[in-house]
Amino acid sequence: MISLAGRDILHSLEKFVLTGVGLGLLIGVTLTMAGVYRGMVDDAEVLLDNSGTDLWVVQKDTLGPYAEPSSLEDDTWRGIRAMPGVADAADVTYLTMQVQGIEPTGLRDVRSMVVGIAPGAPGTPGWPPYLIAGRQITHSHYEVVADIASGFRLGEQVQIRRERYTVVGLTRRLVSSSGDPMVFIPLKDAQQAQFLKDNDAIVRNRARTAGNPALNRPGVPGLLDAVIASQSTNPYVNAVLVQITPGYTPDEVAASIRRWKRLTVYTRAQMEDILVKKLIATASKQIGMFLVILALVSAAIVAFIIYTLTLGKIREIAVLKLIGTTNRTIAAMIMQQAVGLGLIGFLVGKIAATFWGPFFPRYVLLEPADTARGFAIVVVICVLASLLAIRAALKVDPAEAIGG
Amino acid sequence: MDKPANQLQKQGIRIEGLKKRYGEGDTAVDALKGVDMQVAPGEVVGLVGPSGSGKTTMLKCLGAVIEPTAGRMTLASEVIYDERWKISDLRALRRDKIGFVFQAPYLIPFLDVTDNVAILPMLAGRPNGEARKRALELLEALDIAHRARAMPSQLSGGEQQRVSIARALVNRPPVILADEPTAPLDSERALAVMRILNQMARQYETAIIIVTHDEKIIPTFKRIYRIRDGRTEEEAGEGRSLQ
């Protein structure tokens, strides 16, 4: 038996292809939305993987350092470093802010996550694990390693708050959970960037401190200077990143730190949970809603097109039934057409999503499993969408082919 | 089904006391009030009558599309209706034993000429190659084989009607029901179609019933059933030559 659906599609190829392309663009958007979600999850995982960390030690009872503010004294790492099972520990600060590119590309702002990394060597927790160009930070101040997504180039001058830095290295796929590229700078610079105020604010603050009789007692020389000095330095970091010694489990080292340092400690799995289930939960729900709406719109389009095409063939269907075509053959014809439309749409959608994905500002991860799931969903939607047309076709009376 | 076609077709079609009532009670309408008809294999008869006389109802009953209310129908020696359908698969009956030719050809627009004809044997489970071979033989006989690969939209009205005749004949049915097959054609083409139908009826020993009120072709029938108020009267036709 010949394929009636195939022949009909070939006969109306232009109409089918144009409809399929329209549907495909919609499917492409749907796949891209799924890819954006996967990209967010992947960004979160890459963020954790690339931090080179087994444990995150943060301020007690906070979800820091990514999901909530966290503040620890910058010498906390020393005590942790000395604990059993700890191979290495280092301070880190995270600050999302505008980093201004200055030369040679001209003034432009880049939303970035500025990461303050402790002095050390490659492999120190928090350091970028690999570079694609340039070198790691070797000076104590004013050097930057930036993610390539920031658009900064080697040798470029960038401004963070009041200081200028030189880009000495470039890395890749190091972004925050919001998709902002990471910019690594020395820890001391980062601490200063977090708290350093402008000159006017400093003058006003000093005047206010000097005006406080409790901090400026005539009988205690040097008190005011000591207070002002303490106000102008920032001894805090957001977290201590810990690498554990082989042979220890993250949970036992974490339990030890919690017990003796009275701080909150997260393992890799717990931190992933925070990032995926808490930090990007709202975004993923929003994307989920879009996916549902897009699926419904796709179904409505397929149903409308197939229903319209079927109504245009009522007389032919009546003739087919009159000459002995079974309902199953007619239903299969309509269903195959709907699935054919879906196949064209899926092919176009997949190509479109693959083509335009890299142009999105956020990382779009098109996973083969999502593609397979998307394909299955498209087929199911097309089958369901064809039911309306099949119902109309099966109601056609073969007697309609005869006389009036 | 496995008997030779000629043997099956020996009896043509015989209708006795066929009745059809639409509706019930006060609103009931008797469209057919006891119709008798017999058409032998190879014979072409006309079924004529004014609008509303019951022609289309009779055609639908003969085509096993609607169920009569009473009567008896015998097709190729097989009783297909006797107060109720005697055949369980009416779809297969229509496919294998009744050919249809419509006023408009109603070809399937997305199939070429060959497949428009071959689709019937294919539906009957014949292999595609055999079905197409049989279709091409008929197209050859109907002098339309040169358009075998054309799509219906590329054919003239007369060519389309010849293809629809080939489709009606392809399963070698004992009877063909033709509903106003010449209505949209001019005199010359209408007579050409009648020539073909008569020739095919003789060649394939098929009984052909043509419903018409086309004055151009009524004189060509040797026998006419005139239907009036749901009853038929048999009368001799002029039998004018089609040559």
Side-chain angles (χ1 to χ4, degrees):
Chain A
M1 182 65 190
I2 50 177
S3 164
L4 293 175
R7 294 301 183 85
D8 196 12
I9 289 174
L10 287 176
H11 183 247
S12 318
L13 193 60
E14 200 174 315
K15 190 193 288 182
F16 258 87
V17 168
L18 284 176
T19 310
V21 168
L23 181 67
L25 294 177
L26 200 62
I27 292 172
V29 172
T30 311
L31 289 174
T32 307
M33 296 291 283
V36 167
Y37 171 71
R38 291 291 178 203
M40 286 164 69
V41 172
D42 194 65
D43 281 348
E45 288 175 352
V46 169
L47 170 66
L48 302 182
D49 290 341
N50 289 343
S51 64
T53 303
D54 299 312
L55 299 173
W56 284 258
V57 182
V58 298
Q59 184 182 338
K60 193 170 173 58
D61 298 331
T62 68
L63 293 173
Y66 309 115
E68 282 183 2
S70 158
S71 186
L72 299 173
E73 283 79 14
D74 60 6
D75 57 357
T76 306
W77 71 275
R78 293 178 192 278
I80 295 171
R81 176 69 185 80
M83 293 184 73
V86 175
D88 200 357
D91 289 333
V92 71
T93 63
Y94 297 104
L95 175 63
T96 300
M97 61 187 297
Q98 297 297 118
V99 175
Q100 201 171 47
I102 300 171
E103 288 172 347
T105 47
L107 280 177
R108 63 202 162 86
D109 275 351
V110 179
R111 186 80 182 159
S112 309
M113 179 185 253
V114 176
V115 184
I117 52 174
T124 302
W127 278 51
Y130 54 86
L131 300 179
I132 56 169
R135 58 169 175 80
Q136 295 278 10
I137 293 169
T138 54
H139 295 174
S140 305
H141 293 286
Y142 311 128
E143 286 190 344
V144 159
V145 170
D147 185 276
I148 196 164
S150 64
F152 298 138
R153 296 174 190 174
L154 278 184
E156 185 171 354
Q157 295 285 305
V158 299
Q159 182 149 348
I160 299 172
R161 290 278 158 85
R162 292 166 57 182
E163 307 298 345
R164 286 193 175 194
Y165 296 73
T166 304
V167 178
V168 297
L170 293 174
T171 184
R172 187 197 290 275
R173 289 287 292 122
L174 286 176
V175 296
S176 73
S177 57
S178 310
D180 301 322
M182 283 186 171
V183 170
F184 295 85
I185 62 173
L187 182 71
K188 288 291 174 196
D189 289 351
Q191 287 176 303
Q192 195 179 42
Q194 272 189 332
F195 288 91
L196 186 64
K197 297 177 175 65
D198 61 89
N199 288 341
D200 292 337
I202 292 170
V203 168
R204 277 196 302 275
N205 198 43
R206 283 180 182 172
R208 184 175 290 123
T209 307
N212 185 339
L215 302 175
N216 190 11
R217 292 186 210 161
V220 187
L223 175 61
L224 179 62
D225 290 339
V227 170
I228 286 173
S230 75
Q231 286 177 341
S232 60
T233 57
N234 169 28
Y236 297 102
V237 294
N238 298 124
V240 175
L241 306 179
V242 174
Q243 289 172 347
I244 60 171
T245 309
Y248 287 82
T249 66
D251 286 326
E252 64 182 318
V253 178
S256 175
I257 297 171
R258 281 187 203 110
R259 181 178 179 192
W260 297 111
K261 297 295 174 186
R262 309 190 72 75
L263 295 167
T264 296
V265 186
Y266 294 112
T267 61
R268 171 74 166 70
Q270 290 168 327
M271 190 52 79
E272 190 174 328
D273 202 51
I274 290 170
L275 285 178
V276 175
K277 291 191 179 160
K278 293 189 170 67
L279 203 58
I280 61 175
T282 310
S284 64
K285 279 178 195 162
Q286 197 149 334
I287 288 172
M289 275 305 296
F290 268 115
L291 289 177
V292 170
I293 291 167
L294 287 170
L296 290 175
V297 171
S298 306
I301 288 175
V302 176
F304 174 75
I305 296 295
I306 295 297
Y307 187 69
T308 309
L309 287 174
T310 304
L311 288 190
K313 291 197 291 272
I314 288 294
R315 184 66 87 160
E316 285 81 9
I317 289 170
V319 172
L320 281 170
K321 290 176 103 172
L322 185 69
I323 64 177
T325 310
T326 60
N327 282 342
R328 200 175 61 179
T329 304
I330 291 170
M333 176 181 81
I334 295 168
M335 199 171 279
Q336 284 166 15
Q337 282 179 340
V339 173
L341 194 59
L343 288 180
I344 295 171
F346 185 79
L347 199 65
V348 171
K350 175 66 184 149
I351 291 168
T354 306
F355 179 74
W356 67 41
F359 293 98
F360 272 66
R362 286 213 60 155
Y363 179 53
V364 178
L365 177 61
L366 301 170
E367 289 195 338
D370 283 341
T371 304
R373 265 192 290 274
F375 177 72
I377 290 169
V378 166
V379 170
V380 170
I381 284 175
C382 288
V383 168
L384 291 176
S386 68
L387 294 181
L388 197 65
I390 289 172
R391 186 169 168 266
L394 296 188
K395 280 168 68 178
V396 173
D397 185 354
E400 283 183 30
I402 299 176
Chain B
M1 285 292 290
D2 294 333
K3 289 184 195 173
N6 287 351
Q7 198 178 329
L8 274 176
Q9 288 163 209
K10 280 285 188 285
Q11 299 300 314
I13 185 165
R14 184 185 180 90
I15 297 154
E16 299 158 272
L18 197 71
K19 293 179 183 175
K20 176 61 185 175
R21 170 175 287 189
Y22 290 111
E24 288 176 359
D26 294 342
T27 58
V29 175
D30 288 312
L32 300 177
K33 297 173 181 170
V35 170
D36 297 313
M37 179 186 268
Q38 182 165 9
V39 187
E43 189 182 14
V44 178
V45 301
L47 180 63
V48 300
S51 294
S53 58
K55 296 193 301 291
T56 300
T57 298
M58 188 160 166
L59 207 59
K60 287 177 180 175
C61 289
L62 297 180
V65 177
I66 60 172
E67 185 170 4
T69 313
R72 180 184 166 91
M73 287 196 289
T74 309
L75 185 61
S77 302
E78 186 178 12
V79 177
I80 61 168
Y81 183 85
D82 190 359
E83 305 301 320
R84 63 182 178 83
W85 289 117
K86 297 291 183 184
I87 304 275
S88 58
D89 190 353
L90 294 177
R91 200 183 294 272
L93 174 77
R94 288 199 300 266
R95 184 188 64 210
D96 299 331
K97 296 195 174 175
I98 303 171
F100 294 93
V101 179
F102 310 103
Q103 182 173 336
Y106 295 145
L107 300 178
I108 310 300
F110 48 84
L111 298 181
D112 64 19
V113 164
T114 307
D115 284 343
N116 255 289
V117 179
I119 189 169
L120 261 101
M122 287 176 187
L123 286 171
R126 304 266 181 212
N128 289 4
E130 186 190 325
R132 287 201 176 102
K133 189 176 167 214
R134 194 188 275 195
L136 281 169
E137 283 169 11
L138 265 171
L139 292 171
E140 194 79 47
L142 287 161
D143 200 21
I144 187 90
H146 61 289
R147 306 289 276 153
R149 303 312 304 170
M151 299 304 284
S153 58
Q154 298 168 319
L155 303 179
S156 69
E159 287 174 329
Q160 287 188 24
Q161 198 58 292
R162 273 188 278 169
V163 175
S164 77
I165 293 169
R167 182 175 64 187
L169 281 162
V170 71
N171 273 348
R172 307 281 194 270
V175 65
I176 286 180
L177 305 174
D179 182 21
E180 303 273 12
T182 59
L185 304 178
D186 58 33
S187 297
E188 194 181 333
R189 286 196 174 87
L191 292 174
V193 166
M194 286 304 294
R195 258 196 306 278
I196 290 167
L197 286 172
N198 276 276
Q199 183 191 333
M200 293 296 127
R202 283 194 301 277
Q203 188 172 338
Y204 295 104
E205 293 200 335
T206 302
I208 299 182
I209 300 169
I210 298 176
V211 172
T212 186
H213 40 41
D214 185 350
E215 296 297 334
K216 302 188 291 284
I217 65 164
I218 289 174
T220 67
F221 294 115
K222 290 181 180 152
R223 211 152 60 86
I224 290 172
Y225 283 93
R226 198 169 290 280
I227 187 163
R228 191 176 290 129
D229 296 332
R231 294 180 200 282
T232 49
E233 293 167 13
E234 185 183 346
E235 56 186 65
E238 293 179 35
R240 197 177 289 172
S241 168
L242 287 162
Q243 299 309 311

